[in-house]
Amino acid sequence: MKPEHVIVGGGSTMGTGAPVISDAVRWGDLVLLSGRAAVDQATLTVTSPEFEPQARAVLADIGTVLGEVGSSWSHVLRVEAYLAHSEDFAAWNRVWTDHFTPPRPARTTIVTGFGVPGILIELQVTAGIEAR
Amino acid sequence: MKPEHVIVGGGSTMGTGAPVISDAVRWGDLVLLSGRAAVDQATLTVTSPEFEPQARAVLADIGTVLGEVGSSWSHVLRVEAYLAHSEDFAAWNRVWTDHFTPPRPARTTIVTGFGVPGILIELQVTAGIEAR
Amino acid sequence: MKPEHVIVGGGSTMGTGAPVISDAVRWGDLVLLSGRAAVDQATLTVTSPEFEPQARAVLADIGTVLGEVGSSWSHVLRVEAYLAHSEDFAAWNRVWTDHFTPPRPARTTIVTGFGVPGILIELQVTAGIEAR
């Protein structure tokens, strides 16, 4: 069995001309997604200065990757959330409960910094998928 | 195959009336737990101002979740530890070596912030479980 | 099925006489590695004060663990990277693209602190391996 590397659209080029990472890798019945943030890959700048638009953009983006792999929101097992500011925790819970219907995934939320200035939230998703 | 969502007791309500996340999600022979901290879910305040009591409370709490799922300490594969202060690293190693007997799980320890004030340690566990 | 604990050489002793953690744990077709940093296990000090030597040392170290387990670079599924300084993000991308040839793994990079002073990069790898 070989890992299946998934690159969506132009990929995560991080300002270069080619994808630097895979957007997700499938291994059997698991899909491990890369951390996603609301960053324009051509300019390496955030797409909004505000938390909720960033959070919703990241979730939309993850939905695209899940769809490309053939997984789905109902198969998201765990979401690791990295926030720039603890003050955004309540807003994060609102976006989360809006987006996922019960029973929701497992989740961890911590406060960290990021490689690209202006990122307010980054999400790393681990999902399941039916084995072939 | 569908993910099995595990909610223990009243669940992680985070100050709301209903669970916001699953405490763990089982997928085949894997169990992905949510990050756990020593936080009272009704009041969203920490249950102790000190490191070791928090660490021991989190481990006890994780033991409850593992038991509820049907996994166990001997099937913990990796522990991701988030500390508020690097000064607590030695205390964390003491709690860790007290709690786990060799051969111990894989582990990563980093220093981060948290969504709830006063958290000194949060732990994210990935465990195995016999496939059905 | 039981988790297989992997300890390489003297193990991660963290200044004690015996391994405190496993360097990796295998569970079926998955290998979960501990977070690795360029730290001398006897003295708990970093092996270089500079980013790129640390990053390359960590990758070499991970290669040793992967080899010991029987996995390989081509089976690395996801790399979680923790940087001390966001200013090292570009250097991290250079080391990454030098080390991995496309298609590369999934990756998440965040900025955090560490338990041992002077760590500039720590990497946590999740890899696949053929099931027995």
Side-chain angles (χ1 to χ4, degrees), chain B residues 60-117:
Chain B
D61 185 35
I62 288 168
T64 303
V65 177
L66 290 172
E68 184 88 12
V69 184
S71 183
S72 70
W73 287 114
S74 65
H75 278 68
V76 168
L77 308 174
R78 186 163 61 191
V79 177
E80 290 164 80
Y82 313 106
L83 307 186
H85 307 296
S86 59
E87 291 76 12
D88 290 328
F89 187 58
W92 166 227
N93 279 338
R94 279 198 303 276
V95 173
W96 169 268
T97 49
D98 279 0
H99 186 81
F100 289 98
T101 47
R104 300 190 183 93
R107 194 187 77 177
T108 298
T109 303
I110 54 175
V111 174
T112 70
F114 303 98
V116 173

Side-chain angles (χ1 to χ4, degrees), chain B residues 29-30 74-75 77-78 80 86 89 93 96-97 103-112 126 128-130, chain C residues 1 3 5 14 19-22 25 27 30 32-35 80 82 112-116 122 124-126:
Chain B
D29 61 3
L30 280 179
S74 65
H75 278 68
L77 308 174
R78 186 163 61 191
E80 290 164 80
S86 59
F89 187 58
N93 279 338
W96 169 268
T97 49
R104 300 190 183 93
R107 194 187 77 177
T108 298
T109 303
I110 54 175
V111 174
T112 70
T126 304
I129 190 169
E130 299 299 326
Chain C
M1 188 163 68
H5 298 80
M14 302 189 193
V20 173
I21 60 176
S22 288
V25 176
W27 177 247
L30 280 179
L32 291 81
L33 277 73
S34 286
E80 290 164 79
Y82 314 105
T112 70
F114 303 97
V116 174
E122 179 158 339
Q124 177 181 278
V125 164
T126 303

Side-chain angles (χ1 to χ4, degrees), chain C residues 34-87:
Chain C
S34 286
R36 312 291 300 190
V39 171
D40 182 302
Q41 289 298 313
T43 61
L44 269 191
T45 55
V46 292
T47 58
S48 165
E50 291 176 17
F51 181 81
E52 288 207 22
Q54 282 199 17
R56 295 187 194 281
V58 174
L59 287 166
D61 186 34
I62 289 169
T64 303
V65 178
L66 290 171
E68 185 87 11
V69 185
S71 183
S72 69
W73 287 114
S74 65
H75 278 68
V76 169
L77 307 175
R78 185 163 62 192
V79 177
E80 290 164 79
Y82 314 105
L83 307 185
H85 307 296
S86 58
E87 291 75 12

Side-chain angles (χ1 to χ4, degrees), chain A residues 103-114:
Chain A
R104 300 189 182 95
R107 193 188 79 179
T108 298
T109 303
I110 55 176
V111 174
T112 70
F114 303 97

